[in-house]
Amino acid sequence: EDLRGHRARMREQVRERRQLNRLRREPTRTTDGVDIKLWANAESRADVAEAHALGAAGVGLYRTEFLFLQRNELPDEEEQFRAYRDVVLGMTGRTVTIRTLDLGADKADRSGLVLEGEPNPALGLRGVRLSLARDALFRTQLRAIVRASGYGPVRVLVPMVSAREEVL
């Protein structure tokens, strides 16, 4: 039964891929004639390659958390830079929006960044609040992003901003 289900999912994936390939050069337009751009969400090189291959206008959200998960030590600036640069290069001139770290207690973290047993991990020390609490980490990430921007258009998304002062 499991094998039958797996084969059915694989057939559906092949069918969907064919349909997407047929549509990749078609204009993206609403039924009332408004042209729109389709952007991809990504967190890996494979996601970026797929977005590029399918004709995404850019990466609207590149999740940086994957660099921090399942590790005992934090990635340094050089490792982050290489990852972000590869995303930017992979999109060959299309804009990439890199979201700064949004690692909450709801995600597996062995590096000690997030608080154990936080009462509300979805709204606690995460997003911009985590970045402001870990200033050196935030500065390292921003330097890596700025360096990667030398390879193509980059936007920065700072998550969970709730007050002007957090941005300032």
Side-chain angles (χ1 to χ4, degrees):
E1 186 178 315
D2 288 341
L3 188 54
R4 197 169 29 255
H6 174 72
R7 286 180 179 146
R9 284 190 300 278
M10 294 303 290
R11 283 191 301 273
E12 177 61 22
Q13 201 172 44
V14 167
R15 186 194 66 74
E16 185 176 298
R17 172 69 62 189
R18 283 189 191 127
Q19 183 179 7
L20 287 172
N21 280 330
R22 280 194 303 272
L23 295 173
R24 82 175 277 238
R25 288 192 175 79
E26 294 295 319
T28 49
R29 187 172 296 127
T30 62
T31 55
D32 61 346
V34 177
D35 287 332
I36 60 172
K37 291 183 178 183
L38 296 177
W39 296 66
N41 288 352
E43 63 184 41
S44 68
R45 284 184 188 172
D47 292 345
V48 172
E50 183 175 27
H52 186 274
L54 293 174
V59 173
L61 172 63
Y62 181 72
R63 296 179 186 91
T64 60
E65 293 79 41
F66 82 95
L67 286 168
F68 295 82
L69 294 173
Q70 305 301 321
R71 306 173 57 129
N72 294 321
E73 74 290 332
L74 299 174
D76 63 12
E77 179 180 334
E78 190 62 27
E79 181 181 352
Q80 291 183 63
F81 160 69
R82 285 191 309 268
Y84 307 150
R85 177 203 60 201
D86 290 351
V87 172
V88 173
L89 289 172
M91 289 307 291
T92 62
R94 300 175 207 170
T95 300
V96 173
T97 304
I98 300 174
R99 180 174 72 186
T100 60
L101 184 60
D102 185 20
L103 187 65
D106 58 328
K107 296 185 176 93
D109 170 48
R110 295 193 313 233
S111 67
L113 274 177
V114 297
L115 301 176
E116 292 281 330
E118 189 169 11
N120 189 345
L123 296 175
L125 187 64
R126 61 180 297 178
V128 70
R129 291 181 296 284
L130 175 62
S131 294
L132 293 173
R134 308 286 197 268
D135 184 65
L137 174 71
F138 190 40
R139 289 177 185 276
T140 297
Q141 185 172 40
L142 290 176
R143 277 193 308 271
I145 292 170
V146 168
R147 288 175 60 198
S149 73
Y151 293 85
V154 170
R155 299 186 301 191
V156 177
L157 188 156
V158 180
M160 302 193 70
V161 172
S162 60
R164 176 178 175 262
E165 292 72 28
E166 291 171 330
V167 175
L168 296 176

